[in-house]
């Protein structure tokens, strides 16, 4: 059921995800790397995580909101969910594209390459500024969504 807390969490988490994607492109990736619709896809993931997880947690069981600590925790957990989901899907996509080019002769090679892509992506994203913005912004989004859930009963 749509609630104001879910709407606020979804919109703010989408904006946060777009901002983090822009930081990744500007701060971590080399100059001239083509990223396509990376920021927009990340914002869509943020929209889904914000609506389905953070918004649900900050709405509360009875629809009357929740505590501020639970809202902040939900925001930080949502940021972790978004980061892990993005890393898993990106590394899987790279592995599938490589397998379509017939770079692997066995399933074990493809699985090993997937884990290598995942590790490389994790090292790329583990920049302190990106993690601070992602988890700090997640806490702020959770707090704002929690306040919205309590005010709009």
């Amino acid at each position: 059921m749509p609630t104001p807390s879910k709407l606020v969490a979804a919109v703010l988490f989408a904006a946060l995800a777009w901002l983090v994607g822009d930081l990744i492109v500007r701060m971590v990736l080399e100059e001239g790397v083509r990223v396509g619709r990376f920021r927009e896809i990340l914002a869509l993931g943020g929209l889904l995580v914000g609506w389905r997880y953070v918004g649900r947690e900050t709405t509360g069981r009875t629809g009357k909101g929740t505590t501020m600590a639970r809202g902040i925790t939900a925001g930080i957990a949502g940021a972790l969910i978004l980061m892990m989901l993005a890393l898993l899907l990106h590394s899987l996509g790279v592995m599938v594209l490589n397998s379509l080019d017939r770079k692997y002769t066995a399933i074990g090679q493809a699985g090993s390459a997937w884990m290598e892509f995942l590790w490389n992506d994790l090292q790329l994203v583990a920049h302190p500024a990106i993690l601070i913005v992602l988890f700090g912004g997640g806490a702020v989004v959770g707090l704002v969504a929690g306040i919205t859930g309590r005010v709009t009963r």
Side-chain angles (χ1 to χ4, degrees), residues 12-120:
L12 291 179
F13 231 88
L16 175 66
W18 192 92
L19 176 68
V20 168
D22 193 50
L23 281 175
I24 290 171
V25 170
R26 292 178 189 261
M27 295 180 70
V28 177
L29 298 177
E30 297 114 19
E31 189 74 28
V33 173
R34 294 179 56 177
V35 294
R37 299 239 180 247
F38 171 69
R39 292 174 216 121
E40 290 81 5
I41 292 171
L42 202 55
L44 178 64
L47 185 82
L48 292 173
V49 169
W51 182 274
R52 299 283 298 165
Y53 180 73
V54 179
R56 184 185 69 222
E57 290 295 318
T58 56
T59 298
R61 292 185 187 266
T62 60
K64 296 180 181 176
T66 185
T67 63
M68 296 303 115
R70 280 194 69 168
I72 292 171
T73 305
I76 293 171
L80 182 65
I81 290 169
L82 178 66
M83 183 179 79
M84 295 309 298
L85 185 64
L87 288 172
L88 285 171
L89 290 178
H90 181 262
S91 60
L92 180 67
V94 170
M95 187 271 301
V96 167
L97 289 175
N98 282 345
S99 68
L100 290 175
D101 289 338
R102 298 182 188 266
K103 292 188 179 181
Y104 313 120
T105 57
I107 294 174
Q109 288 178 338
S112 176
W114 179 32
M115 290 299 125
E116 184 177 339
F117 293 138
L118 180 64
W119 179 249
N120 292 338

